[in-house]
Amino acid sequence: MHIEVISNVNEAQSERFTHRTAIVIDVLRATSTIVAALEAGAAGIVPVETVLEARALQTGGNLIAGERFCRKIPGFDLGNSPEEFTADNVLGRRIVLTTTNGTRAIHKAMRADHVLVGSLNNAAACARTALELRRDIVLLCAGSHDEFALEDGLCAGLLISELQQLSPSPLEMNDIGSAMLGLYKSAGTAIHEMLQSSTTGKRLNKNGSGRDIERCSQVNISGIVPRMQGDMLVQS
Amino acid sequence: MHIEVISNVNEAQSERFTHRTAIVIDVLRATSTIVAALEAGAAGIVPVETVLEARALQTGGNLIAGERFCRKIPGFDLGNSPEEFTADNVLGRRIVLTTTNGTRAIHKAMRADHVLVGSLNNAAACARTALELRRDIVLLCAGSHDEFALEDGLCAGLLISELQQLSPSPLEMNDIGSAMLGLYKSAGTAIHEMLQSSTTGKRLNKNGSGRDIERCSQVNISGIVPRMQGDMLVQS
């Protein structure tokens, strides 16, 4: 089995996903938030690329959620903080979500046979599901504004580490995959500190969203594996 | 002082180099070979992008050297193996060099105030020279065929580690810089093994150039810091 890591959404040409399972990673915060929303009992998450598309889908009991530049969009029901996605707010609801990088990355991956959503929170469960799907795997790090984001690379490294532990045969990977595995190993128990020091981590801290960093840093606290079915992410 | 790592030549827009010192890295093998050539007493290395340009400069005692896809170019005096660049072959000579990725990366960096050449072999000396030039620093990993190459990322991490040790004030860096520093720390003493496992390393082994990997893996064996002056790299 081959694992390919793509370091940011700008490098994600659609042919790289054909016949593969994609795992989309945007640790701070879109993919952590999607996991939290399903964990809290949301019926599903519809990722869309623009604010306009989200507003057009604000019908039939749908909630609309999202951010631009780490801030909630005016008039939206929810922002992009996992903490907002509680059972009180989202149980049984369909959520239309648009974020600066994460939802764009999910759309880039749509050519894949299967699209999963990964985060530090659900890495082991996500790796297990991906292996069961028996395809080569592409880990798409969303990054931030077309640049590599440290937290997404770290999560790619964790996912490779989990895949290695679960896979019955040795895994091949591209060079950026080997590098991210090395990065993850070097982090040891300092994952929260590494997220704090990342570009997005610093920006979130400045915006008063430091608690989100803490939550998004927690490894394997959820068994939820969001998976694209039609236009909606649901629990697989 | 700010350190920016660019993970492959494809991401190297020229404005990223303005008012900065660039260190170009192509460990397997162009920048290791350039260090070896100056160490052996070559008068200078003229990096050119095409085979045609190199042939046009085969005059006045110049040697022409280079590779395409890890193999020596037919009719050239030398290939791109550091071992070929001995005093017997190159002492006092000007060498025109063209390689698949490395010389292209050097040309991309030409907008910088200063262009240095880095490798595992000369990392400490290169870091010292770069600090003395008192500019923000861009580490350009040449990569391979527009993709990230593990050995170049590892060298970027080593260079940052050397810069941190030498710099009187704390360094800031972009996220890919932090990731490469983590990668370098995770490698420990297994640098040669990491180069063997890289995509280019495997290709060189297949072509019978395994000894080059060993040589290019050696950390801080040279005090030579190649630096662009006009159209030629000379000892700084």
Side-chain angles (χ1 to χ4, degrees), chain B residues 211-227:
Chain B
R211 281 178 58 182
D212 283 350
I213 304 174
E214 200 161 327
R215 177 170 179 143
C216 296
S217 304
Q218 293 176 47
V219 170
N220 295 340
I221 56 165
S222 173
I224 298 279
V225 182
R227 180 171 171 182

Side-chain angles (χ1 to χ4, degrees), chain B:
Chain B
M1 182 179 276
H2 190 268
I3 314 293
E4 183 175 0
V5 173
I6 302 177
S7 64
N8 70 71
V9 68
N10 206 29
E11 302 199 348
Q13 302 90 345
S14 60
E15 68 270 17
R16 297 175 81 164
F17 297 95
T18 312
H19 304 309
R20 294 179 165 183
T21 294
I23 304 179
V24 180
I25 303 165
D26 184 7
V27 170
L28 293 174
R29 298 169 288 177
T31 58
S32 306
T33 294
I34 290 166
V35 170
L38 291 178
E39 183 92 53
I45 292 99
V46 181
V48 299
E49 293 198 61
T50 68
V51 173
L52 218 64
E53 285 173 87
R55 289 219 167 96
L57 292 170
Q58 196 175 23
T59 55
N62 288 350
L63 294 171
I64 62 173
E67 54 79 21
R68 283 296 178 271
F69 309 106
C70 297
R71 291 179 185 282
K72 184 177 161 184
I73 300 163
F76 272 43
D77 300 303
L78 298 162
N80 185 32
S81 163
E83 291 214 330
E84 297 173 81
F85 291 70
T86 57
D88 275 357
N89 285 338
V90 305
L91 187 68
R93 306 289 288 272
R94 231 157 73 123
I95 301 163
V96 180
L97 179 71
T98 184
T99 72
T100 317
N101 309 293
T103 54
R104 196 174 137 226
I106 292 168
H107 277 268
K108 281 270 196 174
M110 294 292 269
R111 180 79 70 90
D113 282 2
H114 308 284
V115 178
L116 308 179
V117 156
S119 67
L120 295 167
N121 296 163
N122 73 335
C126 193
R128 193 172 306 113
T129 300
L131 279 178
E132 286 166 4
L133 293 169
R134 296 177 183 280
R135 299 277 190 290
D136 287 337
I137 296 170
V138 186
L139 303 179
L140 172 55
C141 298
S144 181
H145 307 288
D146 295 338
E147 302 247 349
F148 170 81
L150 189 62
E151 64 279 8
D152 296 343
L154 190 67
C155 183
L158 167 61
L159 280 162
I160 293 172
S161 169
E162 298 285 357
L163 287 164
Q164 281 184 330
Q165 286 175 54
L166 292 166
S167 172
S169 54
L171 302 175
E172 295 191 350
M173 64 195 86
N174 65 349
D175 277 14
I176 191 84
S178 305
M180 295 305 109
L181 183 59
L183 168 65
Y184 168 67
K185 287 180 179 166
S186 79
T189 56
I191 287 182
H192 182 221
E193 290 76 356
M194 203 173 264
L195 262 65
Q196 297 265 21
S197 77
S198 73
T199 304
T200 313
K202 285 180 193 155
R203 194 183 305 131
L204 285 171
N205 261 327
K206 217 180 257 178
N207 288 353
S209 301
R211 281 178 58 182
D212 283 350
I213 304 174
E214 200 161 327
R215 177 170 179 143
C216 296
S217 304
Q218 293 176 47
V219 170
N220 295 340
I221 56 165
S222 173
I224 298 279
V225 182
R227 180 171 171 182
M228 207 71 192
Q229 284 196 344
D231 64 350
M232 190 156 79
L233 289 158
V234 296
Q235 192 171 338
S236 54

Side-chain angles (χ1 to χ4, degrees), chain A residues 23-27 31 105 118-119 139-143 151-153 155-156 159:
Chain A
I23 304 179
V24 180
I25 303 164
D26 184 6
V27 170
T31 60
S119 67
L139 304 180
L140 172 54
C141 299
E151 64 279 9
D152 296 343
C155 182
L159 280 162

Side-chain angles (χ1 to χ4, degrees), chain A residues 11 148-150 175-176 182 186 199, chain B residues 11 149-150 175-176 182 186 199:
Chain A
E11 301 200 347
F148 170 81
L150 189 62
D175 277 14
I176 191 85
S186 79
T199 304
Chain B
E11 302 199 348
L150 189 62
D175 277 14
I176 191 84
S186 79
T199 304

